């Protein structure tokens, strides 16, 4: 028999509907936008056989009173954390659907001491569709796939919440950037998507799993966004298996059309291992689901991208001629917001710091103080030697209150990683590294040149091997790369790091793309918000 009680924090009240007899595990079910605890009923009945179930009505939904203002996602996550602490729950299994997936992600990131596992069912919001209009369209598309049972439960819940409260909570849902929070969720997390989910595209659900340090993905065929309503027993089985740490790929369905397809994603593997290939257009701008290094691109298209890449590199090299004569970086780059970390720019091999001038200007306009490293020439010295020189140079400067973040292109990213390994970053205030088109596993193309400074980037080079084996700092790295990289055919995705693919082809021209600058800015925010040791 279910027991109802209330949790209150100020004017924020959550209704708790508890069922099940066993004390462990404790499943905490958090509903989607406009919904309430009732639509978990079938799933909750199945979970009761294996543990204790707490189905929640968030503030303003179901029978919970409406607070004065809608909560932001971090506030909702914190409130659920307060509830867990008040209930004396530790190692909770948080299960969130849609909007609720965003809430439980925040809870798991904020209160890791209270969470043992997480299940995200149909997680929103796809970053490519972060508008009210697009989400409304997706919602209407999904309604056409639902059955009468789902429609009845949904209409009842939406009527209880009211259109005003639903609309007020839509904006915090859309504005929330779940992709920034996911890398901070350390517990095992299962991402569940239904095959016909019109709200959550497959590539976004897979990306959610990739961004999680211990994420895995499974798709349930034949269902829509509300799969836990239409296939409650099967989804409950997935949740219980995940809570026990068991494989979930072999789903035992009650209906013959239900079977699971699972992809394990330990430590965020290279994106090309799990992503369906899609070609970019002739401009080199393509969908984010293109392959990590452009493998499989038609030869003529690859040649076109390659030519454009080298044309951009030639222009940047010509722009560097004046700087090689002694011109320093712009003085205004050292002015900015003291609350933001200082940025240290590191170019790649055969690149002067001016190669990164467009990116430096964009970061400075965003309020970041930007430093360049002088005395590197065109960065041909060994990685370890350059890292040591950089450490000595930074040691002579006062550590900014907000710390420092290295932004490196290609070899510059390797130097930044070595700096983290060498010093831990603490004494120098280095919070992490944002690396662009960096060959973390080396580049097989390096063998085409006899220059030792290039051949030092071969996958078999001792320094490259050492950097690859040193995975302890990878969580403090954001790796950004395009859809096609002629210099790094092996890919720039790094296990354990936050991997971001931008829809631009090339090794050099990626640096000038607005999408890259946006990704770098988000990477800086992510590293600045994380603890010094992630």
């Amino acid at each position: 028999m279910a027991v109802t009680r209330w949790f209150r924090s100020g004017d924020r009240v959550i209704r708790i509907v508890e069922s099940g007899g066993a004390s462990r595990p404790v499943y905490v079910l958090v509903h989607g936008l406009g919904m309430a605890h009732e639509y978990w009923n079938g799933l909750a009945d199945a979970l009761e056989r294996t543990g204790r179930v707490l189905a929640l009505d968030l503030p303003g939904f179901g029978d919970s009173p409406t607070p004065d203002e809608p909560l932001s996602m971090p506030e909702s996550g914190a409130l659920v954390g307060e509830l867990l602490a008040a209930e004396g729950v530790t190692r909770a299994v948080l299960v969130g659907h849609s909007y609720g997936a965003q809430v439980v992600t925040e809870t798991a990131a904020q209160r890791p001491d209270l969470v043992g596992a997480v299940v995200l069912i149909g997680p929103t919001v796809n970053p490519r569709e972060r508008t009210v209009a697009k989400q409304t369209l997706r919602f209407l598309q999904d309604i056409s796939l639902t059955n009468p049972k789902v429609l009845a439960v949904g209409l009842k819940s939406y009527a209880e919440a009211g259109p005003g409260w639903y609309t007020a909570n839509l904006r915090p849902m859309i504005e929330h950037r779940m992709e920034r929070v996911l890398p901070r969720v350390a517990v095992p997390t299962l991402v569940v998507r239904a095959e016909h989910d019109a709200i959550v595209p497959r590539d976004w659900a897979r990306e959610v799993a990739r961004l999680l340090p211990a994420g895995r993905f499974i798709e349930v065929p034949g269902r829509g966004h509300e799969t836990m309503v239409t296939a409650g027993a099967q989804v409950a089985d997935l949740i219980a298996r995940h809570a026990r740490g068991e494989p979930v790929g072999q789903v035992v369905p009650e209906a013959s059309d239900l079977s699971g397809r699972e992809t394990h994603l330990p430590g965020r593997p290279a994106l090309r291992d799990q992503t369906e290939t899609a070609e970019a257009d002739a401009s080199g701008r393509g969908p984010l689901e293109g392959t990590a290094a452009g493998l499989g691109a038609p030869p003529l298209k690859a040649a076109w991208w390659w030519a454009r890449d080298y044309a951009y590199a030639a222009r940047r090299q010509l722009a560097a001629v004046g700087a090689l004569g002694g011109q320093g970086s712009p003085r205004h780059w050292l002015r900015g917001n003291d609350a933001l970390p200082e940025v240290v720019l590191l170019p790649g091999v055969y690149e002067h710091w001016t190669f990164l001038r467009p990116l430096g200007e964009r970061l400075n306009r965003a309020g970041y103080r930007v430093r360049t490293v002088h005395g590197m020439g065109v960065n041909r010295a060994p990685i370890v030697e350059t890292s040591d020189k950089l450490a000595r140079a930074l040691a002579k400067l006062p550590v900014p209150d907000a710390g420092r973040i290295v932004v490196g292109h290609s070899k510059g990213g390797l130097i930044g990683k070595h700096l983290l390994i060498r010093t831990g970053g603490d004494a120098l205030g280095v919070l992490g590294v944002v690396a662009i088109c960096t060959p973390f596993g080396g580049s097989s193309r390096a063998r085409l040149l006899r220059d030792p400074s290039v051949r030092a980037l071969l996958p078999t080079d001792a320094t490259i091997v050492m950097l690859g084996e040193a995975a302890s700092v990878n969580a403090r790295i954001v790796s950004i790369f395009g859809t096609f990289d002629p210099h790094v055919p092996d890919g720039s995705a790094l296990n354990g790091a936050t991997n971001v693919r931008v829809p631009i082809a090339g090794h050099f021209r990626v640096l000038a793309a607005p999408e890259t600058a946006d990704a770098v800015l988000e990477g800086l925010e992510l590293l600045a918000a994380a603890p010094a040791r992630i």
Side-chain angles (χ1 to χ4, degrees):
M1 178 180 294
V3 176
T4 298
R5 60 180 178 277
W6 306 88
F7 169 77
R8 181 182 296 274
S9 178
D11 71 333
R12 299 164 177 177
V13 181
I14 294 179
R15 183 189 187 194
I16 306 169
V17 179
E18 180 177 351
S19 59
S23 59
R24 287 287 187 273
V26 180
Y27 303 104
V28 180
L29 312 182
V30 181
H31 58 76
L33 183 62
M35 304 302 283
H37 77 275
E38 286 94 345
Y39 84 157
W40 293 109
N41 283 350
L43 183 140
D45 289 345
L47 286 178
E48 288 175 13
R49 304 165 195 161
T50 63
R52 177 181 167 207
V53 180
L54 305 180
L56 311 183
D57 282 349
L58 294 176
F61 298 104
D63 290 331
S64 292
T66 302
D68 294 336
E69 298 289 339
L71 280 68
S72 68
M73 286 299 174
E75 289 174 330
S76 293
L79 185 63
V80 172
E82 289 180 41
L83 181 150
L84 295 178
E87 290 283 317
V89 176
T90 58
R91 299 192 58 76
V93 180
L94 300 184
V95 182
H97 172 246
S98 195
Y99 164 103
Q102 297 173 253
V103 174
V104 302
T105 297
E106 283 285 352
T107 303
Q110 295 177 35
R111 297 301 306 268
D113 55 315
L114 302 177
V115 181
V118 175
V119 179
L120 307 178
I121 305 172
T124 50
V125 170
N126 174 19
R128 301 167 187 82
E129 299 181 350
R130 193 177 271 127
T131 65
V132 172
K134 194 66 175 179
Q135 289 302 303
T136 300
L137 175 62
R138 290 299 193 190
F139 174 78
L140 293 173
Q141 289 174 333
D142 189 70
I143 284 292
S144 67
L145 296 173
T146 58
N147 65 14
K149 176 183 176 183
V150 173
L151 193 57
V153 173
L155 289 175
K156 177 178 181 295
S157 298
Y158 285 121
E160 289 175 343
W165 188 243
Y166 174 88
T167 303
N169 282 272
L170 185 60
R171 179 58 61 185
M173 169 184 140
I174 290 175
E175 291 177 347
H176 181 242
R177 293 187 175 268
M178 188 179 186
E179 62 271 24
R180 297 182 183 176
V181 185
L182 292 166
R184 294 161 41 209
V185 178
V187 298
T189 303
L190 176 65
V191 180
V192 180
R193 179 189 180 268
E195 181 182 14
H196 301 309
D197 191 334
I199 294 175
V200 181
R202 180 180 291 116
D203 65 313
W204 164 238
R206 287 185 179 274
E207 187 69 13
V208 169
R210 290 188 191 99
L211 291 170
L212 291 157
R216 52 183 180 171
F217 171 87
I218 189 165
E219 185 170 271
V220 180
R223 304 295 173 178
H225 190 58
E226 294 79 11
T227 183
M228 72 287 169
V229 177
T230 59
Q234 289 74 41
V235 176
D237 183 60
L238 293 175
I239 294 169
R241 291 186 187 196
H242 177 66
R244 294 192 296 265
E246 299 174 0
V248 297
Q250 299 298 318
V251 180
V252 180
E254 292 184 3
S256 60
D257 65 331
L258 282 178
S259 61
R261 294 196 295 269
E262 179 187 15
T263 300
H264 291 274
L265 293 140
R268 299 180 221 145
L271 297 185
R272 70 172 183 274
D273 293 341
Q274 309 296 345
T275 305
E276 298 179 4
T277 302
E279 294 180 359
D281 61 28
S283 69
R285 293 174 180 265
L288 291 182
E289 57 269 33
T291 58
L295 301 176
L300 288 177
K301 187 173 291 186
W304 170 244
W305 292 337
W306 199 312
R308 295 193 68 189
D309 202 43
Y310 273 90
Y312 174 82
R315 291 196 299 270
R316 293 310 313 160
Q317 292 289 16
L318 289 173
V321 172
L324 288 172
Q327 176 186 344
S329 55
R331 290 185 177 274
H332 67 267
W333 280 11
L334 296 178
R335 298 191 295 272
N337 186 347
D338 291 343
L340 298 176
E342 179 182 86
V343 171
V344 180
L345 290 183
L346 293 180
V349 65
Y350 280 115
E351 296 174 9
H352 189 257
W353 69 262
T354 53
F355 229 82
L356 301 178
R357 184 190 289 272
L359 181 59
E361 287 287 359
R362 173 70 187 277
L363 299 183
N364 186 244
R365 288 198 302 272
Y368 288 91
R369 294 155 296 156
V370 180
R371 286 191 181 274
T372 56
V373 182
H374 299 278
M376 289 178 61
V378 290
N379 197 9
R380 293 186 61 209
I383 292 169
V384 175
E385 178 184 325
T386 307
S387 172
D388 290 345
K389 288 182 178 179
L390 175 61
R392 290 195 295 270
L394 292 177
K396 296 177 182 178
L397 300 171
V399 175
D401 291 341
R404 297 184 173 106
I405 296 175
V406 172
V407 175
H409 175 238
S410 195
K411 180 183 175 182
L414 297 174
I415 295 168
K417 180 173 181 179
H418 186 270
L419 184 71
L420 286 180
I421 298 168
R422 177 186 182 280
T423 66
D426 297 341
L428 302 175
V430 179
L431 305 177
V433 175
V434 177
I436 307 167
C437 298
T438 294
F440 286 108
S443 172
S444 56
R445 295 249 165 90
R447 64 173 52 91
L448 299 178
L449 296 178
R450 302 191 61 165
D451 185 341
S453 62
V454 176
R455 293 182 71 86
L457 301 177
L458 283 169
T460 54
D461 181 84
T463 300
I464 296 296
V465 172
M466 179 273 292
L467 290 173
E469 293 175 345
S472 61
V473 300
N474 288 1
R476 298 166 65 184
I477 296 174
V478 176
S479 181
I480 300 169
F481 44 87
T483 57
F484 172 81
D485 191 331
H487 285 264
V488 191
D490 313 286
S492 294
L494 179 65
N495 285 350
T498 298
N499 295 302
V500 181
R501 184 188 293 110
V502 293
I504 306 295
H507 184 72
F508 302 114
R509 61 190 291 269
V510 168
L511 292 169
E515 294 92 337
T516 303
D518 290 341
V520 171
L521 287 168
E522 291 194 7
L524 293 172
E525 292 179 23
L526 175 66
L527 293 172
R533 290 189 181 277
I534 297 177

